[in-house]
Amino acid sequence: MRRAATVTAAAGAAWLARRALRRRIERSPLWPLPALEHPVSGYSPRRSLRAVIVSRTEPAEGVLQLVLESAELPAWAPGAHIDITLPSGLVRSYSLCGDPAVPGRYSIAIRLVEDGRGGSREAHARLAEGAELELRPPRNRFALLPAPSYVFVAGGIGITPILPMLRAAEAAGARWSLLYGGRTRASMPFLKELAAYGERVTVVPEDEAGLPGLTPLSHAPAGTLVYCCGPEPLMAAVTAVAPPGVEVRLERFAPAGVAGGEPFTVTLGRSGRTIGVPADSTTLAAVRRELPDTPYSCEQGFCGTCRHGVLAGEVDHRDDLLTDEERETSMLLCVSRARGGHLTLDL
């Protein structure tokens, strides 16, 4: 009798487990893929690192410089940037501006933007010496390529990725010059460091000399590489005056055209619902109206938090993060859109 009761209880428990599993699969047909080591969607699989803030200084008005140290920090090359997680959970990307030859140490500089989205205000207010930060390993879409000569152009805080490039160009024995513009001399960081390079550096504070003149750039010899980081109008001007045979490489503070374009529709593959994405809306904003818990952070295509799988349709990729291979099967909802009117997402 006792054995029969045990068998009945076990059978009942197994039936309940099967029913629970069936219901979970019906709610999310691709379950449990998000729990895999390299998920189709849901979160970025990049590993996180921990580092301690060992120095906090202000190299210019409204600019915060942080030096981070940890034995686990990977090596990096000029042009690289890191994503840091602020105490609130916001993720922001900053160029590394220190010396790659010093192991276990990163340096970043953050311009305070009072009317921005809040990341710089939080960094200035809450990041102090001795605090521990979570960050992701360096990525580099602005690498310094070998060339006989360089022209570097920086606007304001855009000097940060350029600074280690100058050291590398100098060490390689290449010819180079830097044009560095800003609103005021007091607001332009790293002027003392740049003074050591003498006449190869031209500093143009707008309140003293107006906007930087780009005429010398138009006479750069063929084979010169131009590296420019700064506001969009500056980068557009640099691109316009570069002569044939001179390649221009740009590093943006934010991807061009985050929102804007033709309206399109998105089908949520797990529920079958179709939603519209207006021309003035991001894919992320439209999706979050249906799925408020969809994760996101930077909203600029840098951190990867809103990466999700694409099941059908062609994507207009506007991020600076995903590799070509990753773009074949996924997109960043915060910046990318449909090319062709419709997408089906793994959501």
Side-chain angles (χ1 to χ4, degrees):
M1 193 69 178
R2 182 180 299 173
R3 182 179 180 182
T6 301
V7 171
T8 300
W15 179 80
L16 289 173
R18 286 196 301 273
R19 186 176 70 170
L21 179 60
R22 185 168 59 252
R23 288 180 175 177
R24 186 166 188 179
I25 292 174
E26 287 172 352
R27 290 195 302 269
S28 179
L30 295 181
W31 180 88
L33 286 181
L36 297 175
E37 181 180 357
H38 298 290
V40 172
S41 65
Y43 63 92
S44 171
R46 289 186 178 83
R47 66 190 178 101
S48 62
L49 307 169
R50 311 294 298 190
V52 175
I53 301 172
V54 298
S55 173
R56 172 186 165 124
T57 57
E58 295 185 7
E61 290 179 356
V63 177
L64 168 67
Q65 183 177 8
L66 300 176
V67 177
L68 316 175
E69 288 189 353
S70 170
E72 63 177 319
L73 296 180
W76 61 281
H81 68 272
I82 58 172
D83 301 329
I84 69 169
T85 302
L86 297 171
S88 67
L90 289 175
V91 177
R92 293 293 183 263
S93 298
Y94 298 105
S95 297
L96 292 171
C97 58
D99 186 350
V102 180
R105 172 177 286 197
Y106 290 170
S107 179
I108 59 175
I110 305 170
R111 167 80 67 190
L112 177 62
V113 182
E114 291 287 2
D115 59 349
R117 296 176 302 118
S120 67
R121 293 195 301 273
E122 181 179 356
H124 278 247
R126 301 186 60 183
L127 299 185
E129 286 188 18
E132 187 177 65
L133 274 183
E134 179 182 345
L135 57 126
R136 293 174 182 153
R139 301 193 305 275
N140 199 336
R141 300 293 178 90
F142 194 48
L144 184 67
L145 302 179
S149 63
Y150 301 94
V151 175
F152 300 102
V153 183
I157 199 64
I159 190 63
T160 51
I162 300 296
L163 198 61
M165 291 184 177
L166 305 183
R167 302 187 188 100
E170 184 78 357
R175 300 185 305 275
W176 64 268
S177 64
L178 167 66
L179 177 62
Y180 180 22
R183 294 191 306 275
T184 66
R185 193 176 296 271
S187 70
M188 300 169 68
F190 307 119
L191 290 180
K192 291 182 179 180
E193 292 89 332
L194 294 172
Y197 294 118
E199 295 182 354
R200 283 175 293 179
V201 175
T202 301
V203 176
V204 186
E206 186 175 349
D207 65 336
E208 299 176 17
L211 297 175
L214 300 178
T215 302
L217 177 59
S218 64
H219 302 301
T224 298
L225 283 182
V226 178
Y227 281 81
C228 178
C229 182
E232 195 68 33
L234 173 65
M235 293 190 291
V238 167
T239 303
V241 303
V246 172
E247 180 183 353
V248 178
R249 299 177 61 82
L250 306 174
E251 175 82 322
R252 289 183 163 87
F253 296 143
V258 169
E262 296 297 321
F264 61 98
T265 57
V266 169
T267 295
L268 307 178
R270 301 187 188 188
S271 66
R273 287 176 291 177
T274 296
I275 59 177
V277 183
D280 61 350
S281 170
T282 64
T283 310
L284 175 65
V287 167
R288 281 180 56 82
R289 284 193 287 270
E290 290 289 327
L291 302 174
D293 293 333
T294 302
Y296 73 101
S297 185
C298 77
E299 298 184 84
Q300 296 187 78
F302 294 146
C303 73
T305 304
C306 66
R307 176 184 170 190
H308 284 277
V310 178
L311 303 178
E314 185 179 358
V315 180
D316 176 11
H317 291 284
R318 303 185 181 187
D319 65 276
D320 293 315
L321 172 67
L322 300 182
T323 64
D324 291 340
E325 182 179 0
E326 291 169 335
R327 289 182 175 188
E328 293 178 0
T329 57
S330 63
M331 67 180 286
L332 299 188
L333 303 186
C334 66
V335 293
S336 297
R337 305 178 67 80
R339 190 190 305 276
H342 184 75
L343 294 172
T344 299
L345 301 179
D346 177 22
L347 279 167

